[in-house]
Amino acid sequence: MNSVQNIFFGLREYLSPVLKNSKFKETGCITPEEFEAAGDFLVYKCPTWSWEGGEPSKRRDYLPQEKQFLITRNVPCLRRVKQMEYTDEDAETQIESDGADAWVMSHSSRVSGGPIEEITGSMDDDDDNDAEAEAEAQAAIAAMERMKLQDQLRSSAEEDDDEEIHDMDDIPDMDDYEDMEEEADPATLAPAAPTEVDPGDKILNVRTYDVFITYDKYYQTPRMWLFGYDEHRRPLVSSQIFEDVSQDYAKKTVTIETHPHLNMSLASIHPCRHGAVMKKIIEKVANDESKEEPVRVDQYLIIFLKFMSSVVPTIDYDNTISA
């Protein structure tokens, strides 16, 4: 079934025309040239990302040979999504809209229900697309605001550390204490014997991910792919990867598919609503800025990664990006 699906997706992409005219503001979609420009900007702003060419037989002619997709490796994932539920952080992620409805961040306690086939079958329901795109946009905007707050707190902490540094003249010189005898420290007389690690201890098991961004010709947007490792560098199975995906998206818009440029199957965040969500985020950012042109197309992937952080909130790829 999966092979038939891959053949269908490949044929659909092959028959789709390449977007030539920019629709960045109108639809949230971008051309391959704009994807390249946005990728160059991302690599410049965050050197942990880099371009790769992939398998020569799988290269797309509408992209440069050595710029087929973007990748960042060994991204830490410190905790599972379930560990984020019912915490104080959840209370901060609820966003009140202008009307009576309230949008909630994607790592809330809601759980997807129903068979996978029923869920995926309803993915393209046009009646719900606008509301879902609006909700995802609001969630991404909330994630962006939290990132700004974290940067402000980090800067404030660094300033406090600088203020606590004493005058160098007030620090005593160790040469003044050459004649002082060192007192025996009882703690050094009986070093503790090493003990075996108790498997029941709360040891932090850090997973890592290789994160890929490709250009989807059919949907005319970027697409994110994930390949994870456990703390022993063993590849994660699909059920483990879904533990690091918001339950609003796991097995719904996040599925296991064949990477378009590599001979391997990876978890992928389906791009069916990426354009609509990006359009709403860009409009929101534009309305909040005083400039006439607050968002440039080369900043697209920076905003896209903020949006994706609402889908994979525990994969910490976003911590060094500064748009």
Side-chain angles (χ1 to χ4, degrees):
M1 177 64 183
N2 191 42
S3 60
V4 174
Q5 186 182 56
N6 290 332
I7 293 174
F8 169 74
F9 288 157
L11 181 61
R12 183 181 65 177
E13 180 185 9
Y14 176 78
L15 296 176
S16 301
V18 178
L19 182 63
K20 297 294 185 182
N21 300 320
S22 177
K23 295 183 178 180
F24 167 58
K25 294 182 179 179
E26 293 83 355
T27 63
C29 298
I30 56 175
T31 66
E33 291 78 12
E34 291 171 333
F35 174 75
E36 180 187 355
D40 288 341
F41 186 74
L42 176 63
V43 171
Y44 167 73
K45 296 298 291 185
C46 185
T48 56
W49 288 91
S50 61
W51 285 106
E52 289 205 0
E55 295 290 334
S57 61
K58 291 178 172 287
R59 288 174 180 167
R60 273 46 173 181
D61 56 6
Y62 49 82
L63 289 170
Q65 288 189 1
E66 301 305 319
K67 293 184 177 181
Q68 294 287 304
F69 63 92
L70 291 148
I71 182 173
T72 181
R73 294 182 171 87
N74 301 320
V75 179
C77 180
L78 303 180
R79 52 183 175 166
R80 311 288 74 79
V81 168
K82 286 185 177 180
Q83 294 176 273
M84 300 182 66
E85 296 178 355
Y86 306 108
T87 64
D88 293 336
E89 292 180 3
D90 283 336
E92 297 175 356
T93 58
Q94 182 167 320
I95 312 162
E96 297 295 338
S97 63
D98 295 334
D101 296 332
W103 302 113
V104 180
M105 273 301 293
S106 59
H107 56 267
S108 65
S109 58
R110 291 177 294 164
V111 179
S112 301
I116 297 176
E117 292 78 12
E118 293 179 7
I119 297 173
T120 54
S122 62
M123 276 170 38
D124 299 323
D125 190 349
D126 294 337
D127 295 337
D128 296 332
N129 276 354
D130 289 341
E132 292 177 349
E134 179 70 23
E136 292 181 32
Q138 293 289 349
I141 291 167
M144 294 167 66
E145 291 299 325
R146 288 203 314 281
M147 293 298 175
K148 289 181 181 178
L149 177 59
Q150 291 173 0
D151 291 340
Q152 292 171 359
L153 293 175
R154 191 178 300 111
S155 299
S156 176
E158 291 173 356
E159 291 175 1
D160 291 342
D161 291 341
D162 293 339
E163 291 175 359
E164 292 176 1
I165 296 177
H166 299 284
D167 190 345
M168 293 297 293
D169 295 334
D170 297 335
I171 300 176
D173 193 339
M174 291 303 296
D175 293 337
D176 298 337
Y177 301 93
E178 286 183 351
D179 299 331
M180 182 179 293
E181 293 185 4
E182 183 177 356
E183 296 180 1
D185 185 356
T188 62
L189 298 179
T195 58
E196 296 184 0
V197 177
D198 184 359
D201 290 344
K202 294 183 178 179
I203 300 174
L204 183 62
N205 296 323
V206 179
R207 293 178 176 178
T208 55
Y209 277 87
D210 294 342
V211 183
F212 307 76
I213 301 177
T214 62
Y215 179 79
D216 193 290
K217 179 185 171 187
Y218 180 78
Y219 289 102
Q220 301 167 348
T221 64
R223 182 171 188 172
M224 179 178 283
W225 304 76
L226 305 169
F227 188 83
Y229 304 89
D230 65 13
E231 62 273 17
H232 302 295
R233 293 295 294 175
R234 294 175 300 204
L236 300 177
V237 298
S238 58
S239 60
Q240 292 175 306
I241 294 176
F242 289 141
E243 294 175 351
D244 298 323
V245 177
S246 166
Q247 291 305 298
D248 287 342
Y249 298 91
K251 300 181 183 179
K252 180 179 179 183
T253 56
V254 179
T255 54
I256 307 299
E257 297 183 31
T258 302
H259 192 287
H261 301 287
L262 301 172
N263 295 319
M264 56 192 305
S265 295
L266 306 178
S268 172
I269 302 171
H270 200 275
C272 57
R273 290 196 300 273
H274 285 4
V277 174
M278 288 298 295
K279 176 178 181 291
K280 292 182 181 295
I281 294 175
I282 293 167
E283 289 174 348
K284 172 66 175 175
V285 174
N287 292 334
D288 291 344
E289 295 286 345
S290 57
K291 305 177 188 177
E292 290 186 4
E293 299 290 339
V295 180
R296 305 189 310 268
V297 70
D298 62 348
Q299 298 171 323
Y300 188 98
L301 287 178
I302 300 290
I303 300 174
F304 175 78
L305 287 175
K306 305 285 188 182
F307 160 41
M308 288 291 98
S309 68
S310 65
V311 182
V312 285
T314 60
I315 300 178
D316 199 18
Y317 62 80
D318 211 17
N319 61 341
T320 59
I321 293 176
S322 177

